[in-house]
Amino acid sequence: MTRPVIDNTSARRVFLDRHALHEPPQGAAHGDALKSLITRLGFVQLDSINTVARAHDLILFARRPRYRARSLDTLYTRDRALFEHWTHDAAVIPIEFYPHWHMRRTRDAERLKKAWSKDRRAGFEAQYQTVLDHIRDNGACSSSDVGTDEKKGSGGWWDWHPSKTALEYLWRSGALAVTGRSGFQKRYDLTERVIDTALADPANAPDTEETIDWCCSQALDRLGFASHSELAAFWGHIRPAEAQVWVKQALARGTIIPVDIQNADGSLRAAYARPDLPDDPALHSPPSPRLRILSPFDPALRDRKRAEQLFGFHYRIEVFVPEPKRTYGYYVFPILEGDRLVGRIDMKAFRAEDTLRVRACWPERGIRWGKGRTAALMAELNRILNLAGVSEIDFAPDWLRTPL
């Protein structure tokens, strides 16, 4: 049987459709509509860096420009429609997915105990009961409320004081849940006070085989096409070998098919997809041409290798690169237009000065940056002002650079 070949343009369209970037960025962005968007994406990564807006806010704004940060907070902390845990990183996740994190919490309990006993400050295990008793007696707390008599470290995860490490361990392994954040500091409470009993009861959790099936199936539906390693990495729960076994079984059942995906450079790579992918309407309709600025942690870009293969867009965040060695800048935002990543922009909100400063914008090679694209960028920047909490834009004299 001949493997279907999905040409690069069609592959981009499907991928953007699955990431809610194919349709025009419009529509309601609160309550059920916002929850529906997050469910469609699977999760939204949280990140503390706030040069323009936090990553989770910009991820949602890029798809729904009417979005405001308070709407996510309402879903999370008041409505309990979301919970916080780990995928590949910390994220907010639809609450109905909570039972599928049982295996992750169980595995983390063992894995983190071994790992953290080697690379964290000693004594955190002795603090488990003390921390649980403190929360039971005093309610939700942050890391600054416990271990007040412990020596504070540098702030790096390797130097957390023991009670903070205990909090994180108890959260990751399931005894605690994050009930919200103050600023960006997590607040922890007993799981039974935060998560509905039926969802939290281990007796109601799917077994390992069911979890693996859910992870792979749900990941494939949100990616459109994927290798077994990409399926494993989507939620971060399962091992590549487990995804590989799932692929073999799904092929035998006929619920997936092998396909070849054309990369941006014309080469082909093997992947798996649903049998109806070749007939997917998204393959045959161009995405919205609207220019939008994406978070570096946007789910469409999280897998840097895949983004480079699919879009020919090489991106590395340079937060941890010493300034003299940076190619672009500390925190540079990719720019999406239609089905192409057309550039990247270095900008920062100076809220005390009520100004969004644009230091530089680099078009990608082969992209002609004329008046029309500049006008589209200006329109997007003006939409972002409210999210950034400023009202003016200031461009550096040499802001439009030549491609690197």
Side-chain angles (χ1 to χ4, degrees), residues 12 39 65 90-91 101 105 107 120-121 131 149 184 189 196 199 236 277 281 355 365 390:
R12 292 187 194 199
T39 302
W101 262 249
R105 293 187 293 270
R107 288 182 173 182
R120 301 291 171 104
R121 284 167 57 183
V131 165
D149 59 342
F184 203 70
D189 204 346
D196 181 83
L199 291 175
L277 178 66
T355 300
R365 292 178 183 175
V390 297

Side-chain angles (χ1 to χ4, degrees), residues 49 51-52 58 293-298 301 304 313-320 326-335 341-348 357-364 399 401 404:
I49 298 174
T51 55
V52 173
L58 191 54
I293 294 171
L294 303 182
S295 163
F297 299 108
D298 194 280
L301 300 172
R304 311 294 191 208
F313 186 76
H314 177 82
Y315 182 86
R316 298 294 183 271
I317 196 163
E318 298 182 282
V319 168
F320 301 110
R326 290 174 188 154
T327 302
Y328 292 100
Y330 172 78
Y331 197 84
V332 174
F333 301 84
I335 303 172
L341 287 156
V342 298
R344 57 195 86 199
I345 185 168
D346 184 4
M347 59 183 182
K348 182 177 180 179
R357 290 184 181 171
V358 177
R359 186 180 74 87
C361 177
W362 296 268
E364 289 297 286
W399 70 275
R401 308 289 181 86
L404 295 179

Side-chain angles (χ1 to χ4, degrees), residues 12 24 34 163 221 396 398:
R12 292 187 194 199
L34 183 60
S163 291
D221 288 344
D398 61 342

